Amino acid sequence: MILKVYTSLLLLFLVNSVWTRTVRQIYDDLGLDHWSHYTSECPQECFCPPSFPNALYCDNKGLKEIPPIPARIWYLYLQNNQIETLSEKPFVNATHLRWINLNKNKITNNGIESGVLSKLKRLLYLFLEDNELEEVPAPLPVGLEQLRLARNKISRIPEGVFSHLENLTMLDLHQNSLLDSALQSDTFQGLNNLMQLNIAKNSLKKMPLSIPANTLQLFLDNNSIEVIPENYFSAIPKVTFLRLNYNKLSDDGIPSNGFNVSSILDLQLSHNQLTKIPPINAHLEHLHLDHNKIKSVNGTQICPVSIALEEEYGYYGNIPRLRYLRLDGNEIQPPIPLDIMICFRLLQAVVI
């Protein structure tokens, strides 16, 4: 018992010593005058951690306005407040901002002062989820890498709003009010380095036009899409993850080789109206087809390569790479057909 107490005291002493040295080091590095200025310029509504001098935490404070942001701040946390407006005044000195989190506020487009965002020239990450925006705010900082606008009321995308955002890699517009008419052929023009596009939980009936060619992840779940146009994915040859769960796709709405695309590794078609498995590519690794209307599975028909050739060349040939297959929620009765296992020799899990 005594040993445990001594051990605990020693551990506490060491932790306190490390903490004291860390704070003292910061204090020494900053100098007395600088330290006094550092503490005094921190807005009283916020928290300025000594160990993270480039960050300002103003989240969960019930704020209705943004306080003046010190010049040293790179990371600004303002989520979970009651902020309604974005004006230029609080950001006059904040010329080094890289990251702003404004999720879960009450910001409207009318509340955003003209040009206030585009003047934040070093901003890389802008989070405006769970606000009351009705359109994508414009103009935006040209250096943005991530723009998150989920769970707003966005139904309009101003013309050319993305045209200068060449560094943007992620655009999240899920759970808004977008119709097909909001996505024109030039809507995403300029997003040359976009990797992830999320337009799930909107009101789309068609596949969106002119997806940026470098897109790797395309999320279109929870829309009302009925048809995949012929050769649709030839315009986005790098797409790897494709989610179309909870749509209205039927067998007639999918071209004969619509999903026979070598770049797609993860294909999700759950909760649609398919009665058969569409043709797939041998490179596909994950296939989600649960909760459709599929009654039976013929491994020979859906196998992307000839089973006879596969048996002849074995692992030295181009065998299918499918590792995960989900078929539950259909009308398929077990057991799993043997030809499925013969074709997809790398299968690690089948849910039926």
Side-chain angles (χ1 to χ4, degrees):
M1 179 65 181
I2 295 175
L3 180 60
K4 289 184 178 179
V5 172
Y6 282 141
T7 303
S8 299
L9 289 173
L10 178 60
L11 181 60
L12 182 61
F13 172 77
L14 291 173
V15 170
N16 284 337
S17 298
V18 171
W19 183 85
T20 302
R21 285 198 302 271
T22 303
V23 173
R24 182 172 297 170
Q25 183 180 0
I26 294 172
Y27 183 91
D28 292 340
D29 290 343
L30 288 174
L32 182 59
D33 294 337
H34 198 160
W35 180 266
S36 176
H37 175 68
Y38 165 75
T39 54
S40 64
E41 69 174 358
C42 182
Q44 62 179 2
E45 310 96 327
C46 308
F47 172 58
C48 298
S51 60
F52 196 10
N54 295 121
L56 181 61
Y57 291 87
C58 308
D59 51 308
N60 297 286
K61 301 295 184 181
L63 300 179
K64 293 186 177 181
E65 295 181 350
I66 299 174
I69 310 303
R72 71 174 188 276
I73 298 303
W74 287 22
Y75 307 97
L76 178 58
Y77 298 89
L78 288 161
Q79 67 269 28
N80 291 299
N81 282 293
Q82 304 294 318
I83 298 169
E84 297 180 358
T85 60
L86 293 181
S87 61
E88 184 177 346
K89 186 177 179 180
F91 300 104
V92 168
N93 296 318
T95 57
H96 296 283
L97 276 174
R98 304 289 201 277
W99 172 304
I100 299 180
N101 189 333
L102 278 159
N103 292 345
K104 295 187 178 180
N105 278 283
K106 296 184 177 181
I107 299 169
T108 63
N109 289 95
N110 290 333
I112 301 177
E113 186 177 324
S114 178
V116 62
L117 293 173
S118 62
K119 291 178 181 178
L120 302 174
K121 298 187 182 301
R122 299 189 182 185
L123 196 66
L124 302 178
Y125 300 87
L126 178 58
F127 299 171
L128 279 165
E129 298 179 344
D130 294 285
N131 278 277
E132 298 180 13
L133 299 173
E134 295 183 351
E135 65 179 45
V136 175
L140 292 162
V142 295
L144 271 186
E145 294 181 5
Q146 287 193 17
L147 178 59
R148 301 184 184 228
L149 299 169
R151 295 178 298 277
N152 277 275
K153 303 174 183 177
I154 296 173
S155 61
R156 297 185 300 276
I157 300 179
E159 184 177 356
V161 67
F162 302 128
S163 60
H164 300 295
L165 304 186
E166 294 186 1
N167 294 328
L168 199 71
T169 60
M170 177 185 177
L171 176 58
D172 191 345
L173 288 163
H174 90 268
Q175 200 166 332
N176 277 284
S177 303
L178 292 171
L179 299 170
D180 295 320
S181 57
L183 305 180
Q184 300 298 315
S185 59
D186 59 350
T187 295
F188 301 113
Q189 185 175 353
L191 298 179
N192 299 327
N193 290 297
L194 194 71
M195 298 174 66
Q196 184 186 109
L197 178 59
N198 191 341
I199 327 178
K201 294 188 177 181
N202 278 278
S203 300
L204 304 180
K205 294 183 178 180
K206 300 178 181 179
M207 296 291 285
L209 300 171
S210 301
I211 300 296
N214 286 319
T215 302
L216 298 176
Q217 301 177 343
L218 179 58
F219 304 148
L220 292 163
D221 314 74
N222 292 89
N223 280 285
S224 298
I225 297 171
E226 299 178 356
V227 176
I228 306 293
E230 192 81 35
N231 299 319
Y232 181 84
F233 298 106
S234 62
I236 42 176
K238 297 181 181 180
V239 64
T240 305
F241 299 90
L242 177 62
R243 294 197 332 217
L244 280 159
N245 303 320
Y246 291 95
N247 276 282
K248 296 182 179 180
L249 289 170
S250 64
D251 301 328
D252 294 336
I254 300 176
S256 57
N257 281 300
F259 295 120
N260 188 2
V261 180
S262 61
S263 65
I264 299 178
L265 302 182
D266 190 299
L267 176 59
Q268 300 190 20
L269 297 168
S270 305
H271 293 271
N272 277 279
Q273 300 171 11
L274 302 175
T275 64
K276 58 184 180 181
I277 298 178
I280 58 175
N281 193 273
H283 291 90
L284 188 67
E285 296 182 3
H286 296 83
L287 178 59
H288 297 247
L289 285 164
D290 55 286
H291 298 90
N292 276 275
K293 299 179 180 180
I294 301 171
K295 294 183 179 180
S296 62
V297 181
N298 186 317
T300 303
Q301 291 180 355
I302 68 171
C303 192
V305 301
S306 167
I307 290 182
L309 290 175
E310 186 179 348
E311 289 180 331
E312 180 178 351
Y313 293 104
Y315 285 96
Y316 298 100
N318 186 29
I319 67 170
R321 300 178 186 177
L322 194 67
R323 288 171 167 80
Y324 180 88
L325 176 60
R326 185 171 177 183
L327 291 166
D328 56 304
N330 284 283
E331 301 175 30
I332 304 169
Q333 298 297 321
I336 300 169
L338 180 60
D339 51 4
I340 289 284
M341 308 310 296
I342 293 174
C343 173
F344 302 107
R345 300 188 180 190
L346 300 180
L347 265 176
Q348 298 175 355
V350 181
V351 184
I352 193 169

mmCIF file of all heavy atoms in Angstrom, residues 257-297:
data_model
loop_
_atom_site.group_PDB
_atom_site.id
_atom_site.type_symbol
_atom_site.label_atom_id
_atom_site.label_comp_id
_atom_site.label_asym_id
_atom_site.label_seq_id
_atom_site.Cartn_x
_atom_site.Cartn_y
_atom_site.Cartn_z
ATOM 1 N N ASN A 257 -22.464 -1.869 -69.012
ATOM 2 C CA ASN A 257 -21.151 -1.846 -68.364
ATOM 3 C C ASN A 257 -20.959 -0.577 -67.543
ATOM 4 O O ASN A 257 -19.838 -0.052 -67.430
ATOM 5 C CB ASN A 257 -20.038 -1.967 -69.415
ATOM 6 C CG ASN A 257 -19.856 -3.405 -69.878
ATOM 7 O OD1 ASN A 257 -19.551 -4.285 -69.080
ATOM 8 N ND2 ASN A 257 -20.059 -3.630 -71.167
ATOM 9 N N GLY A 258 -22.051 -0.102 -66.986
ATOM 10 C CA GLY A 258 -22.029 1.161 -66.256
ATOM 11 C C GLY A 258 -21.036 1.191 -65.116
ATOM 12 O O GLY A 258 -20.378 2.214 -64.879
ATOM 13 N N PHE A 259 -20.918 0.073 -64.373
ATOM 14 C CA PHE A 259 -20.011 0.015 -63.236
ATOM 15 C C PHE A 259 -18.791 -0.864 -63.503
ATOM 16 O O PHE A 259 -18.035 -1.175 -62.584
ATOM 17 C CB PHE A 259 -20.742 -0.505 -61.998
ATOM 18 C CG PHE A 259 -21.841 0.415 -61.520
ATOM 19 C CD1 PHE A 259 -23.148 -0.032 -61.458
ATOM 20 C CD2 PHE A 259 -21.562 1.716 -61.156
ATOM 21 C CE1 PHE A 259 -24.166 0.807 -61.019
ATOM 22 C CE2 PHE A 259 -22.568 2.568 -60.717
ATOM 23 C CZ PHE A 259 -23.873 2.113 -60.650
ATOM 24 N N ASN A 260 -18.608 -1.248 -64.755
ATOM 25 C CA ASN A 260 -17.417 -2.021 -65.122
ATOM 26 C C ASN A 260 -16.273 -1.047 -65.368
ATOM 27 O O ASN A 260 -15.827 -0.825 -66.490
ATOM 28 C CB ASN A 260 -17.699 -2.858 -66.368
ATOM 29 C CG ASN A 260 -16.566 -3.830 -66.676
ATOM 30 O OD1 ASN A 260 -15.576 -3.902 -65.936
ATOM 31 N ND2 ASN A 260 -16.698 -4.571 -67.764
ATOM 32 N N VAL A 261 -15.807 -0.457 -64.263
ATOM 33 C CA VAL A 261 -14.811 0.613 -64.302
ATOM 34 C C VAL A 261 -13.617 0.186 -63.454
ATOM 35 O O VAL A 261 -13.757 -0.110 -62.269
ATOM 36 C CB VAL A 261 -15.400 1.929 -63.763
ATOM 37 C CG1 VAL A 261 -14.374 3.043 -63.809
ATOM 38 C CG2 VAL A 261 -16.661 2.309 -64.539
ATOM 39 N N SER A 262 -12.440 0.160 -64.049
ATOM 40 C CA SER A 262 -11.273 -0.401 -63.371
ATOM 41 C C SER A 262 -10.818 0.411 -62.168
ATOM 42 O O SER A 262 -10.186 -0.116 -61.255
ATOM 43 C CB SER A 262 -10.102 -0.539 -64.357
ATOM 44 O OG SER A 262 -9.738 0.730 -64.877
ATOM 45 N N SER A 263 -11.148 1.697 -62.117
ATOM 46 C CA SER A 263 -10.687 2.532 -61.002
ATOM 47 C C SER A 263 -11.512 2.324 -59.734
ATOM 48 O O SER A 263 -11.025 2.575 -58.623
ATOM 49 C CB SER A 263 -10.733 4.013 -61.395
ATOM 50 O OG SER A 263 -12.072 4.429 -61.622
ATOM 51 N N ILE A 264 -12.758 1.880 -59.871
ATOM 52 C CA ILE A 264 -13.653 1.762 -58.705
ATOM 53 C C ILE A 264 -13.262 0.556 -57.859
ATOM 54 O O ILE A 264 -13.286 -0.584 -58.327
ATOM 55 C CB ILE A 264 -15.124 1.651 -59.144
ATOM 56 C CG1 ILE A 264 -15.551 2.900 -59.908
ATOM 57 C CG2 ILE A 264 -16.027 1.454 -57.925
ATOM 58 C CD1 ILE A 264 -16.977 2.862 -60.430
ATOM 59 N N LEU A 265 -12.923 0.818 -56.600
ATOM 60 C CA LEU A 265 -12.565 -0.241 -55.658
ATOM 61 C C LEU A 265 -13.675 -0.495 -54.644
ATOM 62 O O LEU A 265 -13.783 -1.606 -54.110
ATOM 63 C CB LEU A 265 -11.275 0.121 -54.904
ATOM 64 C CG LEU A 265 -10.040 0.397 -55.764
ATOM 65 C CD1 LEU A 265 -8.833 0.681 -54.876
ATOM 66 C CD2 LEU A 265 -9.749 -0.780 -56.693
ATOM 67 N N ASP A 266 -14.481 0.523 -54.356
ATOM 68 C CA ASP A 266 -15.553 0.399 -53.371
ATOM 69 C C ASP A 266 -16.833 0.951 -53.988
ATOM 70 O O ASP A 266 -16.926 2.141 -54.275
ATOM 71 C CB ASP A 266 -15.188 1.167 -52.095
ATOM 72 C CG ASP A 266 -16.144 0.890 -50.947
ATOM 73 O OD1 ASP A 266 -17.354 1.171 -51.079
ATOM 74 O OD2 ASP A 266 -15.684 0.394 -49.916
ATOM 75 N N LEU A 267 -17.815 0.058 -54.206
ATOM 76 C CA LEU A 267 -19.077 0.431 -54.859
ATOM 77 C C LEU A 267 -20.237 0.135 -53.919
ATOM 78 O O LEU A 267 -20.430 -1.015 -53.507
ATOM 79 C CB LEU A 267 -19.243 -0.340 -56.169
ATOM 80 C CG LEU A 267 -20.549 -0.141 -56.942
ATOM 81 C CD1 LEU A 267 -20.754 1.324 -57.304
ATOM 82 C CD2 LEU A 267 -20.579 -1.019 -58.182
ATOM 83 N N GLN A 268 -21.018 1.154 -53.583
ATOM 84 C CA GLN A 268 -22.129 0.994 -52.641
ATOM 85 C C GLN A 268 -23.438 1.342 -53.332
ATOM 86 O O GLN A 268 -23.672 2.489 -53.711
ATOM 87 C CB GLN A 268 -21.896 1.858 -51.411
ATOM 88 C CG GLN A 268 -20.613 1.501 -50.668
ATOM 89 C CD GLN A 268 -20.477 2.184 -49.330
ATOM 90 O OE1 GLN A 268 -21.465 2.646 -48.736
ATOM 91 N NE2 GLN A 268 -19.261 2.245 -48.811
ATOM 92 N N LEU A 269 -24.291 0.316 -53.473
ATOM 93 C CA LEU A 269 -25.584 0.450 -54.136
ATOM 94 C C LEU A 269 -26.713 -0.066 -53.249
ATOM 95 O O LEU A 269 -27.742 -0.530 -53.746
ATOM 96 C CB LEU A 269 -25.569 -0.325 -55.461
ATOM 97 C CG LEU A 269 -24.582 0.152 -56.534
ATOM 98 C CD1 LEU A 269 -24.459 -0.867 -57.653
ATOM 99 C CD2 LEU A 269 -25.019 1.505 -57.084
ATOM 100 N N SER A 270 -26.535 0.039 -51.951
ATOM 101 C CA SER A 270 -27.541 -0.456 -51.017
ATOM 102 C C SER A 270 -28.835 0.356 -51.102
ATOM 103 O O SER A 270 -28.825 1.525 -51.476
ATOM 104 C CB SER A 270 -27.003 -0.390 -49.586
ATOM 105 O OG SER A 270 -25.787 -1.079 -49.468
ATOM 106 N N HIS A 271 -29.955 -0.284 -50.768
ATOM 107 C CA HIS A 271 -31.268 0.372 -50.691
ATOM 108 C C HIS A 271 -31.637 1.041 -52.014
ATOM 109 O O HIS A 271 -31.933 2.234 -52.080
ATOM 110 C CB HIS A 271 -31.279 1.396 -49.550
ATOM 111 C CG HIS A 271 -31.165 0.772 -48.189
ATOM 112 N ND1 HIS A 271 -32.267 0.367 -47.454
ATOM 113 C CD2 HIS A 271 -30.077 0.467 -47.441
ATOM 114 C CE1 HIS A 271 -31.853 -0.150 -46.302
ATOM 115 N NE2 HIS A 271 -30.538 -0.112 -46.264
ATOM 116 N N ASN A 272 -31.580 0.255 -53.090
ATOM 117 C CA ASN A 272 -32.076 0.684 -54.385
ATOM 118 C C ASN A 272 -33.147 -0.313 -54.847
ATOM 119 O O ASN A 272 -33.777 -0.965 -54.008
ATOM 120 C CB ASN A 272 -30.924 0.804 -55.379
ATOM 121 C CG ASN A 272 -30.193 2.134 -55.253
ATOM 122 O OD1 ASN A 272 -30.637 3.158 -55.768
ATOM 123 N ND2 ASN A 272 -29.061 2.137 -54.551
ATOM 124 N N GLN A 273 -33.344 -0.438 -56.153
ATOM 125 C CA GLN A 273 -34.410 -1.296 -56.671
ATOM 126 C C GLN A 273 -33.881 -2.314 -57.681
ATOM 127 O O GLN A 273 -34.572 -2.710 -58.615
ATOM 128 C CB GLN A 273 -35.502 -0.422 -57.314
ATOM 129 C CG GLN A 273 -36.130 0.563 -56.333
ATOM 130 C CD GLN A 273 -37.059 1.568 -56.994
ATOM 131 O OE1 GLN A 273 -37.416 1.431 -58.176
ATOM 132 N NE2 GLN A 273 -37.467 2.579 -56.246
ATOM 133 N N LEU A 274 -32.670 -2.768 -57.472
ATOM 134 C CA LEU A 274 -32.032 -3.707 -58.389
ATOM 135 C C LEU A 274 -32.555 -5.121 -58.154
ATOM 136 O O LEU A 274 -32.750 -5.546 -57.019
ATOM 137 C CB LEU A 274 -30.516 -3.679 -58.194
ATOM 138 C CG LEU A 274 -29.831 -2.323 -58.383
ATOM 139 C CD1 LEU A 274 -28.359 -2.409 -58.046
ATOM 140 C CD2 LEU A 274 -30.031 -1.814 -59.812
ATOM 141 N N THR A 275 -32.738 -5.855 -59.253
ATOM 142 C CA THR A 275 -33.156 -7.260 -59.147
ATOM 143 C C THR A 275 -32.023 -8.212 -59.512
ATOM 144 O O THR A 275 -32.160 -9.424 -59.372
ATOM 145 C CB THR A 275 -34.360 -7.542 -60.071
ATOM 146 O OG1 THR A 275 -33.979 -7.358 -61.438
ATOM 147 C CG2 THR A 275 -35.525 -6.629 -59.737
ATOM 148 N N LYS A 276 -30.925 -7.653 -59.991
ATOM 149 C CA LYS A 276 -29.764 -8.488 -60.321
ATOM 150 C C LYS A 276 -28.481 -7.698 -60.073
ATOM 151 O O LYS A 276 -28.500 -6.461 -59.979
ATOM 152 C CB LYS A 276 -29.818 -8.964 -61.772
ATOM 153 C CG LYS A 276 -29.871 -7.843 -62.798
ATOM 154 C CD LYS A 276 -30.022 -8.395 -64.214
ATOM 155 C CE LYS A 276 -30.076 -7.264 -65.241
ATOM 156 N NZ LYS A 276 -30.254 -7.796 -66.621
ATOM 157 N N ILE A 277 -27.387 -8.404 -59.982
ATOM 158 C CA ILE A 277 -26.095 -7.761 -59.754
ATOM 159 C C ILE A 277 -25.576 -7.204 -61.073
ATOM 160 O O ILE A 277 -25.453 -7.944 -62.050
ATOM 161 C CB ILE A 277 -25.086 -8.761 -59.161
ATOM 162 C CG1 ILE A 277 -25.589 -9.257 -57.798
ATOM 163 C CG2 ILE A 277 -23.712 -8.118 -59.021
ATOM 164 C CD1 ILE A 277 -24.694 -10.289 -57.159
ATOM 165 N N PRO A 278 -25.281 -5.912 -61.127
ATOM 166 C CA PRO A 278 -24.772 -5.342 -62.386
ATOM 167 C C PRO A 278 -23.349 -5.824 -62.660
ATOM 168 O O PRO A 278 -22.629 -6.210 -61.733
ATOM 169 C CB PRO A 278 -24.803 -3.836 -62.118
ATOM 170 C CG PRO A 278 -24.681 -3.712 -60.636
ATOM 171 C CD PRO A 278 -25.381 -4.899 -60.059
ATOM 172 N N PRO A 279 -22.925 -5.833 -63.913
ATOM 173 C CA PRO A 279 -21.549 -6.215 -64.243
ATOM 174 C C PRO A 279 -20.540 -5.349 -63.500
ATOM 175 O O PRO A 279 -20.700 -4.128 -63.406
ATOM 176 C CB PRO A 279 -21.474 -5.983 -65.758
ATOM 177 C CG PRO A 279 -22.881 -6.092 -66.225
ATOM 178 C CD PRO A 279 -23.716 -5.533 -65.127
ATOM 179 N N ILE A 280 -19.505 -6.000 -62.985
ATOM 180 C CA ILE A 280 -18.478 -5.283 -62.233
ATOM 181 C C ILE A 280 -17.110 -5.571 -62.835
ATOM 182 O O ILE A 280 -16.953 -6.479 -63.648
ATOM 183 C CB ILE A 280 -18.484 -5.688 -60.746
ATOM 184 C CG1 ILE A 280 -18.254 -7.197 -60.607
ATOM 185 C CG2 ILE A 280 -19.785 -5.267 -60.081
ATOM 186 C CD1 ILE A 280 -18.124 -7.668 -59.178
ATOM 187 N N ASN A 281 -16.127 -4.792 -62.394
ATOM 188 C CA ASN A 281 -14.763 -4.946 -62.888
ATOM 189 C C ASN A 281 -13.967 -5.856 -61.967
ATOM 190 O O ASN A 281 -14.245 -5.945 -60.767
ATOM 191 C CB ASN A 281 -14.093 -3.579 -62.995
ATOM 192 C CG ASN A 281 -12.803 -3.616 -63.776
ATOM 193 O OD1 ASN A 281 -11.741 -3.870 -63.213
ATOM 194 N ND2 ASN A 281 -12.888 -3.386 -65.084
ATOM 195 N N ALA A 282 -12.959 -6.495 -62.497
ATOM 196 C CA ALA A 282 -12.147 -7.418 -61.704
ATOM 197 C C ALA A 282 -11.370 -6.709 -60.593
ATOM 198 O O ALA A 282 -10.946 -7.344 -59.631
ATOM 199 C CB ALA A 282 -11.172 -8.165 -62.617
ATOM 200 N N HIS A 283 -11.204 -5.387 -60.684
ATOM 201 C CA HIS A 283 -10.456 -4.636 -59.676
ATOM 202 C C HIS A 283 -11.305 -4.293 -58.446
ATOM 203 O O HIS A 283 -10.752 -3.904 -57.414
ATOM 204 C CB HIS A 283 -9.889 -3.346 -60.268
ATOM 205 C CG HIS A 283 -8.795 -3.567 -61.261
ATOM 206 N ND1 HIS A 283 -9.034 -3.733 -62.611
ATOM 207 C CD2 HIS A 283 -7.456 -3.666 -61.110
ATOM 208 C CE1 HIS A 283 -7.890 -3.906 -63.244
ATOM 209 N NE2 HIS A 283 -6.911 -3.879 -62.364
ATOM 210 N N LEU A 284 -12.606 -4.420 -58.553
ATOM 211 C CA LEU A 284 -13.492 -4.056 -57.446
ATOM 212 C C LEU A 284 -13.191 -4.906 -56.210
ATOM 213 O O LEU A 284 -13.051 -6.117 -56.297
ATOM 214 C CB LEU A 284 -14.954 -4.241 -57.852
ATOM 215 C CG LEU A 284 -15.991 -3.720 -56.856
ATOM 216 C CD1 LEU A 284 -15.931 -2.202 -56.758
ATOM 217 C CD2 LEU A 284 -17.394 -4.176 -57.255
ATOM 218 N N GLU A 285 -13.120 -4.234 -55.027
ATOM 219 C CA GLU A 285 -12.784 -4.935 -53.792
ATOM 220 C C GLU A 285 -13.943 -5.005 -52.801
ATOM 221 O O GLU A 285 -14.037 -5.955 -52.028
ATOM 222 C CB GLU A 285 -11.581 -4.261 -53.121
ATOM 223 C CG GLU A 285 -10.308 -4.349 -53.955
ATOM 224 C CD GLU A 285 -9.109 -3.723 -53.268
ATOM 225 O OE1 GLU A 285 -9.249 -3.269 -52.108
ATOM 226 O OE2 GLU A 285 -8.018 -3.692 -53.879
ATOM 227 N N HIS A 286 -14.828 -4.013 -52.807
ATOM 228 C CA HIS A 286 -15.965 -3.990 -51.882
ATOM 229 C C HIS A 286 -17.232 -3.674 -52.661
ATOM 230 O O HIS A 286 -17.289 -2.683 -53.389
ATOM 231 C CB HIS A 286 -15.771 -2.949 -50.777
ATOM 232 C CG HIS A 286 -14.617 -3.237 -49.867
ATOM 233 N ND1 HIS A 286 -13.320 -2.882 -50.186
ATOM 234 C CD2 HIS A 286 -14.561 -3.841 -48.652
ATOM 235 C CE1 HIS A 286 -12.518 -3.258 -49.211
ATOM 236 N NE2 HIS A 286 -13.242 -3.840 -48.267
ATOM 237 N N LEU A 287 -18.252 -4.518 -52.474
ATOM 238 C CA LEU A 287 -19.523 -4.331 -53.186
ATOM 239 C C LEU A 287 -20.687 -4.448 -52.196
ATOM 240 O O LEU A 287 -20.864 -5.475 -51.542
ATOM 241 C CB LEU A 287 -19.670 -5.376 -54.295
ATOM 242 C CG LEU A 287 -20.976 -5.345 -55.100
ATOM 243 C CD1 LEU A 287 -21.171 -3.992 -55.777
ATOM 244 C CD2 LEU A 287 -20.995 -6.474 -56.134
ATOM 245 N N HIS A 288 -21.471 -3.358 -52.084
ATOM 246 C CA HIS A 288 -22.628 -3.311 -51.182
ATOM 247 C C HIS A 288 -23.902 -3.316 -52.030
ATOM 248 O O HIS A 288 -24.181 -2.352 -52.737
ATOM 249 C CB HIS A 288 -22.582 -2.044 -50.327
ATOM 250 C CG HIS A 288 -21.381 -1.971 -49.422
ATOM 251 N ND1 HIS A 288 -21.477 -2.030 -48.052
ATOM 252 C CD2 HIS A 288 -20.066 -1.835 -49.696
ATOM 253 C CE1 HIS A 288 -20.265 -1.929 -47.518
ATOM 254 N NE2 HIS A 288 -19.395 -1.809 -48.502
ATOM 255 N N LEU A 289 -24.665 -4.391 -51.923
ATOM 256 C CA LEU A 289 -25.928 -4.516 -52.658
ATOM 257 C C LEU A 289 -27.082 -4.897 -51.739
ATOM 258 O O LEU A 289 -28.117 -5.397 -52.201
ATOM 259 C CB LEU A 289 -25.785 -5.563 -53.769
ATOM 260 C CG LEU A 289 -24.978 -5.131 -55.002
ATOM 261 C CD1 LEU A 289 -24.589 -6.338 -55.831
ATOM 262 C CD2 LEU A 289 -25.769 -4.131 -55.846
ATOM 263 N N ASP A 290 -26.924 -4.672 -50.463
ATOM 264 C CA ASP A 290 -27.972 -5.061 -49.525
ATOM 265 C C ASP A 290 -29.230 -4.214 -49.711
ATOM 266 O O ASP A 290 -29.188 -3.098 -50.208
ATOM 267 C CB ASP A 290 -27.460 -4.925 -48.082
ATOM 268 C CG ASP A 290 -26.927 -3.541 -47.780
ATOM 269 O OD1 ASP A 290 -25.832 -3.217 -48.257
ATOM 270 O OD2 ASP A 290 -27.609 -2.771 -47.073
ATOM 271 N N HIS A 291 -30.362 -4.804 -49.346
ATOM 272 C CA HIS A 291 -31.663 -4.148 -49.387
ATOM 273 C C HIS A 291 -32.026 -3.653 -50.784
ATOM 274 O O HIS A 291 -32.343 -2.485 -50.998
ATOM 275 C CB HIS A 291 -31.729 -3.007 -48.363
ATOM 276 C CG HIS A 291 -31.566 -3.488 -46.955
ATOM 277 N ND1 HIS A 291 -30.329 -3.588 -46.341
ATOM 278 C CD2 HIS A 291 -32.479 -3.928 -46.064
ATOM 279 C CE1 HIS A 291 -30.484 -4.062 -45.114
ATOM 280 N NE2 HIS A 291 -31.782 -4.282 -44.908
ATOM 281 N N ASN A 292 -31.918 -4.573 -51.747
ATOM 282 C CA ASN A 292 -32.456 -4.374 -53.075
ATOM 283 C C ASN A 292 -33.552 -5.413 -53.292
ATOM 284 O O ASN A 292 -34.195 -5.834 -52.313
ATOM 285 C CB ASN A 292 -31.344 -4.487 -54.119
ATOM 286 C CG ASN A 292 -30.587 -3.172 -54.290
ATOM 287 O OD1 ASN A 292 -30.992 -2.305 -55.048
ATOM 288 N ND2 ASN A 292 -29.473 -3.014 -53.567
ATOM 289 N N LYS A 293 -33.771 -5.847 -54.518
ATOM 290 C CA LYS A 293 -34.812 -6.841 -54.816
ATOM 291 C C LYS A 293 -34.230 -8.051 -55.534
ATOM 292 O O LYS A 293 -34.889 -8.691 -56.348
ATOM 293 C CB LYS A 293 -35.914 -6.196 -55.664
ATOM 294 C CG LYS A 293 -36.612 -5.023 -54.972
ATOM 295 C CD LYS A 293 -37.683 -4.399 -55.859
ATOM 296 C CE LYS A 293 -38.374 -3.239 -55.154
ATOM 297 N NZ LYS A 293 -39.426 -2.621 -56.016
ATOM 298 N N ILE A 294 -32.982 -8.356 -55.205
ATOM 299 C CA ILE A 294 -32.277 -9.461 -55.854
ATOM 300 C C ILE A 294 -32.772 -10.790 -55.294
ATOM 301 O O ILE A 294 -32.800 -10.995 -54.085
ATOM 302 C CB ILE A 294 -30.761 -9.315 -55.641
ATOM 303 C CG1 ILE A 294 -30.290 -7.969 -56.221
ATOM 304 C CG2 ILE A 294 -30.001 -10.461 -56.294
ATOM 305 C CD1 ILE A 294 -28.867 -7.607 -55.876
ATOM 306 N N LYS A 295 -33.138 -11.721 -56.190
ATOM 307 C CA LYS A 295 -33.694 -13.009 -55.758
ATOM 308 C C LYS A 295 -32.683 -14.139 -55.830
ATOM 309 O O LYS A 295 -32.783 -15.125 -55.086
ATOM 310 C CB LYS A 295 -34.917 -13.355 -56.604
ATOM 311 C CG LYS A 295 -36.089 -12.402 -56.408
ATOM 312 C CD LYS A 295 -37.300 -12.838 -57.219
ATOM 313 C CE LYS A 295 -38.475 -11.879 -56.989
ATOM 314 N NZ LYS A 295 -39.680 -12.284 -57.768
ATOM 315 N N SER A 296 -31.736 -14.036 -56.747
ATOM 316 C CA SER A 296 -30.751 -15.100 -56.892
ATOM 317 C C SER A 296 -29.435 -14.538 -57.404
ATOM 318 O O SER A 296 -29.384 -13.431 -57.937
ATOM 319 C CB SER A 296 -31.260 -16.185 -57.867
ATOM 320 O OG SER A 296 -31.456 -15.635 -59.157
ATOM 321 N N VAL A 297 -28.386 -15.327 -57.217
ATOM 322 C CA VAL A 297 -27.047 -14.918 -57.633
ATOM 323 C C VAL A 297 -26.423 -16.047 -58.435
ATOM 324 O O VAL A 297 -26.353 -17.191 -57.970
ATOM 325 C CB VAL A 297 -26.153 -14.588 -56.423
ATOM 326 C CG1 VAL A 297 -24.768 -14.150 -56.891
ATOM 327 C CG2 VAL A 297 -26.782 -13.505 -55.558
#
